[in-house]
């Protein structure tokens, strides 16, 4: 059997209600750093690039009218990786399934598309899910986390989107997937290893992903995330372009490019966004500085 190739990857960067993290930062979650070198979008690009020749011919990020436009990734992609296309939903609200149908409309029916909630930290390779889709000869493969919660990642044959009306709102999990099952398409599940695809809707979730990326957390076989005793010290993500005084303390926090943490300041369990400033001698705890 030939190995499945992705024709397109669609990252959905919107939703009916802005997340707590988006409201606090005023920025697209895709622009937030999860490591010193990578934003959330750049982490997606890196993981999709790991698929090599099976990776997507197109990568499209779709955001809605309520979501800030994300920035193009600044990292050097893998050779042959497509340029990231960032588009805005048209004025009439289509819902996630409707957006996917509109974006993928010109693809052939059997071409395979990855669709994902963009506000996720991709903690592992996507190749195993693609192999599951291939081996099962699936029409749709639904990703799930070890605790059985949805991972926000789908692989699907484009023809399954023909079930989505050309006008009006259609969601993915209930309306589209329910219709796929009712119409007899082959649907399988793929369970990601712990911690799965981590949701990024709150400050705490972003910091948890940053801690994992820094190696301060690890996952046991039963999916429980623990802090090794030897690693129970503070961590921090300070991106290039951030200005942090050598006399400041940054603990369990993320400081992004263009942020300033002045002399004598203490930042703990917080996120300091581009343009954010923590003044000399200030204390910022459990907060977002936007």
């Amino acid at each position: 059997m030939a190995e499945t190739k992705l024709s397109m990857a669609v990252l959905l960067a919107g939703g009916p209600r802005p997340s707590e993290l988006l409201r606090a930062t005023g920025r697209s979650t895709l622009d937030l750093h999860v490591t010193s070198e990578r934003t959330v979008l750049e982490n997606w690009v890196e993981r999709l690039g790991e698929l090599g020749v099976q990776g997507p011919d197109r990568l499209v990020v779709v955001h809605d009218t309520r979501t800030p436009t994300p920035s193009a990734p600044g990292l050097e992609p893998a050779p042959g990786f497509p340029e990231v296309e960032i588009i805005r939903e048209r004025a009439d609200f289509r819902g996630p399934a409707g957006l996917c149908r509109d974006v993928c409309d010109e693809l052939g029916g059997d071409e395979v598309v990855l669709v994902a909630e963009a506000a996720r930290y991709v903690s592992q390779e996507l190749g195993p899910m693609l192999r599951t889709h291939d081996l099962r000869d699936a029409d749709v493969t639904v990703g799930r986390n070890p605790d059985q919660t949805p991972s926000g990642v789908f692989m699907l044959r484009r023809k399954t989107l023909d079930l989505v009306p050309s006008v009006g709102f259609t969601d993915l999990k209930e309306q589209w997937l329910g219709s796929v099952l009712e119409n007899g398409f082959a649907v399988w599940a793929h369970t990601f290893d712990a911690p799965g695809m981590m949701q990024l809707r709150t400050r705490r979730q972003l910091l948890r992903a940053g801690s994992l990326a820094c190696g301060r957390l690890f996952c046991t076989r039963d999916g429980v995330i623990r802090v090794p005793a030897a690693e129970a010290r503070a961590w921090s993500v300070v991106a290039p372009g951030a200005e942090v005084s050598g006399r400041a303390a940054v603990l369990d926090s993320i400081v992004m490019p263009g942020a300033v943490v002045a002399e004598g300041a203490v930042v703990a369990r917080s996120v300091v966004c581009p343009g954010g400033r923590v003044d000399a001698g200030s204390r910022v705890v459990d907060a977002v500085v936007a």
Side-chain angles (χ1 to χ4, degrees), residues 17-85:
R17 292 177 298 278
S19 70
E20 173 191 313
L21 187 60
L22 190 153
R23 292 195 304 270
T25 62
R27 295 174 175 272
S28 169
T29 303
L30 288 172
D31 287 346
L32 304 180
H33 274 252
V34 73
T35 72
S36 60
E37 301 293 336
R38 296 283 183 268
T39 64
V40 174
L41 178 54
E42 288 168 343
N43 183 58
W44 272 109
V45 170
E46 188 169 50
R47 289 302 193 185
L48 288 165
E50 290 170 349
L51 295 172
V53 296
Q54 293 179 271
D57 293 326
R58 291 180 64 193
L59 171 54
V60 180
V61 178
V62 187
H63 70 100
D64 56 33
T65 56
R66 297 166 299 283
T67 307
T69 303
S71 303
L75 84 166
E76 187 70 26
F81 194 84
E83 182 177 348
V84 178
E85 304 170 47

Side-chain angles (χ1 to χ4, degrees), residues 272-284:
V272 187
C273 297
R277 180 180 178 86
V278 181
D279 291 328
S282 298
R283 301 292 185 269
V284 174

Side-chain angles (χ1 to χ4, degrees), residues 2 22 46-48 66 73 78 104 114 142 165 179 194 210 219 224 243 245 248 250 259 264 278 280-282:
L22 190 153
E46 188 169 50
R47 289 302 193 185
L48 288 165
R66 297 166 299 283
C104 303
L114 179 144
V142 181
S179 183
C219 296
V224 176
E243 184 180 332
S245 169
V250 178
V278 181
S282 298

